[in-house]
Amino acid sequence: MLVVLGALPFLLYIAVFLVLPIGVLAVEAFRATDPVTFEETWSTASVEAITDGAYRRAYVGSLQLSLITAVIGAALGLALAIAVLRARRGRLLRRLVLTASGVLANFGGIPLAFAFIATIGGNAGVVTALLTDTLGLGLGGFSLYSMTGLALVYLYFLIPLMVLTIIPALEALRPQWREAADNLGATGWQYWRYVGGPVLLPPVLGATMLLFASAFAAYATARALVGSSIPLVTLQIADALSSNVVVGSENVGKALALGMVVLIGLVMVFYAWVQRRTQRWLT
């Protein structure tokens, strides 16, 4: 009884700010508003609309961007975490990297976008101007306001997020496992192939899913950098809810948001499953 009472504020918070909004989206996604009479009726038109045309391209664009940045961010973050833990002065370097990662992983949105614009954005960027005016070089056709530029900006906070997530799993690898493998005559490759790799696979997959969800839900950075020039779900939701595209398209925006909630929910279910498998080995 005391446990239930103690958890009551948290459960109430979840109910009001998570369950209730999702319920509203689930209902409003199946409502349609007449643009002339503003009369609302039950309809599947909004849900059907998000599977075709610009809305489908937005989902494809967001999935591609999130998947690419999650895989690259996971690989680079894992390599950085392993390098930090193997460094000779590991304790000091680990503290510096973790502190910087904690800051950078939360440095997103509008400030991050303008930081990149001031650095390599167009001709006004400091680095761009230095390369162009002083050295006579350029960015080789690279544009910050493209899908590639947006992926680069996303990696700025995804790599530190991967470092923060994966270092506890790397530290939990027991030295006795490596010693046992060495005593049995196993090579380094055989240790990672049959012991270290299978143990680390669930946390790496879980961290990658976390990066995917973070990139998929990002909005402010993309809005500040590319506006609506690149099809992304979060940008389409904002345009639909503000009726910048078609009058009365709010229900389409809510259907887009509902689809996004379903996708992120599936990712979180997979993340929870791999986390449970991780705990069996690392506790």
Side-chain angles (χ1 to χ4, degrees):
M1 188 62 181
L2 289 177
V3 174
V4 175
L5 290 176
L8 190 58
F10 173 74
L11 296 177
L12 183 62
Y13 182 84
I14 293 297
V16 173
F17 294 103
L18 181 62
V19 178
L20 181 59
I22 292 177
V24 171
L25 287 178
V27 173
E28 293 295 327
F30 292 93
R31 303 281 288 175
T33 303
D34 190 294
V36 178
T37 63
F38 294 99
E39 182 181 356
E40 291 194 351
T41 57
W42 292 103
S43 172
T44 59
S46 299
V47 177
E48 294 173 356
I50 67 174
T51 62
D52 195 18
Y55 301 122
R56 181 180 178 180
R57 290 195 295 274
Y59 270 113
V60 173
S62 288
L63 289 173
Q64 288 178 338
L65 178 64
S66 304
L67 184 61
I68 291 173
T69 54
V71 171
I72 296 176
L76 296 179
L78 178 61
L80 177 59
I82 293 175
V84 169
L85 293 180
R86 288 188 173 183
R88 182 169 300 178
R89 297 182 177 179
R91 183 172 298 180
L92 176 60
L93 183 61
R94 176 178 176 273
R95 189 179 303 170
L96 291 175
V97 170
L98 286 179
T99 302
S101 297
V103 175
L104 298 178
N106 294 284
F107 185 61
I110 301 295
L112 177 62
F114 279 101
F116 270 84
I117 291 173
T119 305
I120 56 175
N123 296 326
V126 175
V127 175
T128 306
L130 179 65
L131 292 175
T132 304
D133 300 336
T134 306
L135 303 178
L137 303 174
L139 296 179
F142 170 79
S143 174
L144 182 64
Y145 312 106
S146 64
M147 185 70 87
T148 304
L150 194 58
L152 176 66
V153 178
Y154 277 18
L155 288 174
Y156 187 82
F157 61 85
L158 291 180
I159 293 175
L161 181 59
M162 180 65 182
V163 172
L164 292 176
T165 307
I166 203 62
I167 274 189
L170 291 174
E171 290 182 325
L173 281 178
R174 299 173 185 173
Q176 295 87 346
W177 297 345
R178 184 59 185 265
E179 294 172 1
D182 292 338
N183 292 334
L184 292 173
T187 63
W189 161 250
Q190 288 173 326
Y191 167 75
W192 286 108
R193 169 67 177 82
Y194 297 106
V195 181
V199 172
L200 279 180
L201 183 60
V204 170
L205 287 177
T208 305
M209 290 297 100
L210 192 62
L211 267 59
F212 175 87
S214 180
F216 193 78
Y219 166 72
T221 304
R223 172 62 79 185
L225 278 180
V226 300
S228 299
S229 61
I230 293 179
L232 296 176
V233 175
T234 51
L235 303 181
Q236 289 285 0
I237 292 173
D239 289 338
L241 292 180
S242 59
S243 297
N244 284 341
V245 181
V246 178
V247 175
S249 63
E250 294 87 355
N251 296 100
V252 176
K254 293 168 184 174
L256 284 168
L258 181 62
M260 193 172 173
V261 168
V262 172
L263 284 174
I264 295 298
L266 293 175
V267 171
M268 290 297 104
V269 169
F270 180 74
Y271 177 74
W273 178 70
V274 296
Q275 284 296 98
R276 282 200 301 271
R277 290 183 62 85
T278 303
Q279 296 304 319
R280 291 194 304 181
W281 291 96
L282 302 181
T283 56

